[in-house]
Amino acid sequence: MAERWRRPANVIEIEQTNQGLWLPDGRVQGQVILHMSPGTVERIRLGYMCVKCLEPFPVAWPRLCHVCGCRVRTEQAEYFAREFGGEVHVGPSTSIDEEVERMHEEVEREQKEG
Ligand SMILES: [Zn+2]
C-alpha cells in the first residue's frame, strides 16, 4: 500500500488567466490558477506539500524541496499567503470549528476515493 503522504496533489482545475505574459512565440508564462481540493490546499498549508511543484513530503516543512529546490521552510508560508490567501479565507460567518470539521470530512472523502 502506498504511504499516505505520497498521495499526489488533487488539482481540480487549471485555469489560464489573461494576466500571464504572452510571449512572441505563443507561449504564455505565469498566471495560471490552480484549483485544488481543500485537502490538498491544507497539505500545502501544513507544509506537507511543495507549494511550487506540488511534491508531497514525508515530514512537514523540509528545509528544501528535493524536487524543485524551493526553500520550503523559509519561503512557503509567505508564498502560500500570497497565492492562496483569498482561496482559503475563513469568513467571519464560519467558525473555526465548522471549518475544521468540514476539512476533516473532505480529507475522509478523499481517502475513500483514493
Ligand atoms: Zn518543489
Side-chain angles (χ1 to χ4, degrees), residues 50 52-55 57 65 67-70:
C50 177
K52 289 190 180 167
C53 71
L54 304 181
E55 175 71 13
F57 303 133
C65 171
V67 174
C68 73
C70 168

